Amino acid sequence: MRAVTWHGRGDVRVDTVPDPAIQEQTDVIVEITSSGICGSDLHLIEVMAPFMSVGDVMGHEPMGVVREVGRDVTAVKPGDRVVVPFNISCGTCWMCAEGLQSQCETTQNREQGMGASLFGYTKLYGQVPGGQAEYLRVPFGNTLPIKVPDAPSDDRFVYLSDVVPTAWQAVQYAAIPQGGSVLVLGLGPIGDMATRIAKHLGAGQVIASDVVPERLARARRNGITVIDSTDQAEVVARVRDLTDGRGPDAVIDAVGMEAHGSPLAWAAQKASAVVPDAIMEKVMTVAGIDRLAALNTAIEAVRRGGTISLSGVYGGATDPLPLMRMFDKQIQLRMGQANVWRWVPDILPLLIDGDPLGVDEFATHRVPLEQAPEAYANFREKKDGAVKVLLQP
């Protein structure tokens, strides 16, 4: 089959690789019809490169049609249309029963000290082949795939794999009071979707910060108040002006790992291209090569007694958290990988009954799988208005 594979920093290719096969009798084989490119995928060809291997199949936002099932699979059958969550969870362990599928005890990567395995995402998370391919082997066929109706188009359901549950959890963790205010930092796919969900769930004032014109325009069309800056002082001043000088009830950090504007982080990330991977693995797991600009903005912007919800991915810590400031402001902080199946019962009816979140037109680009390298480059460089890209084998 054809698949998007990792070949090095900034080097994504479409190669012919072996077709997946049933390995356990609870496996299913899914023919992929759509698979998103996520901002987290860009980390794999940049700062997370030391944890990748040449030939790794990428992608963790897939959906498609079941083509083969193991003999113990009863929940789905060949011909069923399914979405595949990005975190690989058994659905039956204690963590899964608690709604913490991202911490699944069956697929936890204990040797790495990490949580549940992920499709297409580094040896830290199991090095499981991903879904930017023609076919995908999906374990736990009775509990992991999300069965969806045969219609409408993929755009209605594909974001159930990652984007919508991640944004939904970010909003839930933000604990925005009914009619309250929220600031979303970053208007990439997760931040954009978080603004839509916050409005849908009853936030009275939704504000967002970014500098990319296409992202700002999308948010404005959806009735979001935008701040066209990411400078901390400017964002804090403007959001306080919009919230009676108090600051928003909640802030969602949808930015995470970022080097722009930080010479030390930029230099460290560049060093990952020349320093041996074994050394960079240690640097990233112990010290990290982030800057905490977005998180520090969130800490300053949120009102006293407010909540920060962290959905952006961080890779370590280069700066200490201002704990005195956080304690003094009585800030609550929640974070973590989205627990996809925890939120499916809340989200799926919205996607079946209509399109209140605007997912039908959420993608800016739909391209053939063979054009993945160009699509990655455009998304990485924010060219051609690329905000959300779907690959279609």
Side-chain angles (χ1 to χ4, degrees):
M1 69 173 183
R2 301 289 282 171
V4 178
T5 57
W6 187 93
H7 282 266
R9 293 168 177 83
D11 189 355
V12 173
R13 306 178 193 178
V14 180
D15 291 333
T16 298
V17 301
D19 290 353
I22 298 290
Q23 297 178 19
E24 304 289 340
Q25 292 308 315
T26 51
D27 291 348
V28 302
I29 304 298
V30 176
E31 181 180 1
I32 302 302
T33 54
S34 291
S35 187
I37 298 178
C38 179
S40 297
D41 291 326
L42 299 184
H43 298 332
L44 303 183
I45 58 174
E46 296 170 344
V47 297
M48 301 297 287
F51 301 102
M52 298 291 288
S53 300
V54 172
D56 282 352
V57 178
M58 301 176 67
H60 59 269
E61 298 185 353
M63 72 170 293
V65 178
V66 175
R67 293 304 182 202
E68 185 180 355
V69 303
R71 64 170 176 265
D72 294 336
V73 175
T74 58
V76 295
K77 63 184 184 303
D80 284 346
R81 192 180 189 208
V82 296
V83 175
V84 183
F86 75 94
N87 38 32
I88 304 172
S89 57
C90 70
T92 56
C93 70
W94 187 89
M95 285 289 183
C96 287
E98 291 294 307
L100 293 168
Q101 288 85 3
S102 66
Q103 310 301 325
C104 174
E105 292 176 316
T106 304
T107 72
Q108 269 181 28
N109 291 276
R110 293 177 175 83
E111 290 185 3
Q112 301 286 351
M114 306 300 278
S117 293
L118 309 176
F119 285 105
Y121 212 78
T122 83
K123 64 184 180 183
L124 292 176
Y125 291 98
Q127 210 158 24
V128 181
Q132 291 172 2
E134 292 182 307
Y135 295 92
L136 177 67
R137 171 186 167 262
V138 180
F140 310 112
N142 288 319
T143 52
L144 184 57
I146 304 166
K147 189 175 177 179
V148 297
D150 292 335
S153 70
D154 282 7
D155 290 63
R156 180 67 61 87
F157 300 109
V158 66
Y159 307 113
L160 194 56
S161 59
D162 180 355
V163 174
V164 178
T166 296
W168 192 278
Q169 179 170 295
V171 173
Q172 294 291 338
Y173 280 10
I176 308 160
Q178 196 69 18
S181 57
V182 61
L183 168 66
V184 178
L185 300 176
L187 280 168
I190 302 302
D192 186 334
M193 184 57 67
T195 66
R196 302 175 188 216
I197 292 169
K199 282 188 64 178
H200 176 77
L201 294 180
Q205 187 178 30
V206 183
I207 307 161
S209 160
D210 206 303
V211 292
V212 180
E214 293 84 2
R215 295 179 175 185
L216 294 167
R218 279 164 63 98
R220 286 193 186 99
R221 288 196 296 270
N222 290 319
I224 306 304
T225 301
V226 300
I227 298 172
D228 55 349
S229 174
T230 56
D231 176 77
Q232 178 176 311
E234 186 171 359
V235 170
V236 171
R238 290 173 65 177
V239 77
R240 285 182 180 165
D241 286 343
L242 293 166
T243 55
D244 300 323
R246 189 177 299 117
D249 296 308
V251 178
I252 296 172
D253 174 0
V255 178
M257 189 157 30
E258 189 69 78
H260 307 300
S262 173
L264 290 177
W266 181 88
Q269 292 184 15
K270 283 292 185 182
S272 71
V274 294
V275 176
D277 285 349
I279 296 175
M280 285 309 299
E281 285 182 24
K282 188 67 174 178
V283 170
M284 290 190 65
T285 54
V286 175
I289 53 176
D290 314 327
R291 67 184 184 119
L292 303 181
L295 182 54
N296 282 320
T297 297
I299 292 166
E300 287 303 310
V302 72
R303 69 161 170 82
R304 291 179 177 273
T307 301
I308 296 173
S309 174
L310 180 59
S311 66
V313 175
Y314 284 93
T318 54
D319 299 300
L321 285 173
L323 292 178
M324 180 183 291
R325 180 70 168 153
M326 296 169 70
F327 181 87
D328 178 68
K329 291 189 71 174
Q330 201 166 330
I331 290 170
Q332 299 181 72
L333 177 63
R334 293 197 72 182
M335 66 188 81
Q337 297 274 12
N339 304 295
V340 174
W341 259 108
R342 164 66 180 83
W343 309 111
V344 167
D346 297 321
I347 299 168
L348 188 55
L350 297 179
L351 304 179
I352 292 174
D353 294 341
D355 188 20
L357 303 179
V359 294
D360 285 348
E361 301 300 327
F362 193 72
T364 54
H365 295 71
R366 300 167 185 83
V367 302
L369 187 70
E370 294 294 331
Q371 294 179 16
E374 180 183 354
Y376 262 86
N378 287 341
F379 184 42
R380 184 186 189 187
E381 302 299 325
K382 301 180 178 66
K383 291 181 178 178
D384 193 28
V387 178
K388 187 61 184 179
V389 181
L390 293 180
L391 299 176
Q392 298 174 320

